[in-house]
Amino acid sequence: MASYAPLFVNTNDRRWNPDAIVFNSSHLYGTPSYWVQRFFAESSGSTLLTSTLKGNSSSLVASAITWKNNEQDYIRIKAVNFGATSVNMKVLVTGLDPNVMKVSGSKKTVLTSTNVMDENSFTQPEKVAPHESLLEMAEEDLTVILPPHSFSSFDLLKESAKIRMTVSDSSSTL
């Protein structure tokens, strides 16, 4: 469970910042905070996996869970890069038969923006919104680049396992 207060704000009566959903008499949009809350709400009731984050990046926080969606079993890795540079993360899944991870059905979702101060608005309601794409995986491990100031989620289709993540700072940006 997650809570967020205040959840809604009328654009003509803003008393609090941040809010999750902004509305007027005919439109609404979710703020970046709304999208982060939604990431966590989608997999509530999940099981936290044993995972290890190794490396020299002090700007990264990550976790791994198992959860079901539409009768499909997933491993979901959530990673936040709150630093100003990209981070390379290599995910090694251990404890599973190498043939149980499926590329088909696996996806990544990234929430980021080119400017850390960007906000959504009625004219640009999805300026900062998650972007989903298919995930290309190696046979036993996955290497991803986490953009600066980003929240990323990787859904690997199958069942629970132990996860080890290694990271390294990179000066390249996306």
Side-chain angles (χ1 to χ4, degrees):
M1 293 181 60
S3 67
Y4 194 94
L7 182 60
F8 295 100
V9 64
N10 186 315
T11 192
N12 298 316
D13 189 23
R14 269 200 169 192
R15 297 182 193 182
W16 187 275
N17 197 21
D19 299 292
I21 299 171
V22 181
F23 68 94
N24 63 19
S25 60
S26 59
H27 297 89
L28 63 91
Y29 63 88
T31 65
S33 296
Y34 164 80
W35 291 112
V36 170
Q37 290 292 319
R38 187 165 162 193
F39 265 117
F40 284 95
E42 284 178 346
S43 56
S44 65
S46 58
T47 302
L48 185 65
L49 293 174
T50 301
S51 60
T52 306
L53 183 62
K54 295 182 178 182
N56 59 357
S57 178
S58 61
S59 68
L60 186 65
V61 178
S63 67
I65 61 172
T66 61
W67 69 294
K68 280 191 172 204
N69 186 23
N70 299 325
E71 301 303 317
Q72 296 279 344
D73 290 324
Y74 288 92
I75 295 174
R76 175 174 275 181
I77 298 165
K78 298 176 190 173
V80 177
N81 178 6
F82 53 88
T85 60
S86 294
V87 173
N88 294 322
M89 183 172 80
K90 182 176 183 179
V91 178
L92 303 169
V93 179
T94 60
L96 285 179
D97 180 326
N99 298 319
V100 299
M101 298 303 285
K102 298 179 182 177
V103 174
S104 174
S106 296
K107 65 180 181 176
K108 69 177 176 179
T109 308
V110 179
L111 177 67
T112 191
S113 184
T114 55
N115 183 337
V116 72
M117 299 304 290
D118 280 347
E119 287 285 339
N120 294 337
S121 66
F122 290 114
T123 58
Q124 292 182 298
E126 294 187 4
K127 185 173 187 175
V128 184
H131 296 280
E132 189 175 292
S133 61
L134 294 177
L135 188 59
E136 296 179 21
M137 294 177 12
E139 287 186 18
E140 292 186 14
D141 59 42
L142 168 69
T143 301
V144 294
I145 298 174
L146 304 173
H149 306 292
S150 65
F151 182 95
S152 301
S153 176
F154 306 94
D155 289 343
L156 311 175
L157 187 56
K158 201 42 195 159
E159 298 181 349
S160 63
K162 291 184 180 179
I163 306 287
R164 186 178 81 226
M165 294 173 260
T166 57
V167 296
S168 62
D169 287 327
S170 172
S171 59
S172 65
T173 58
L174 296 177

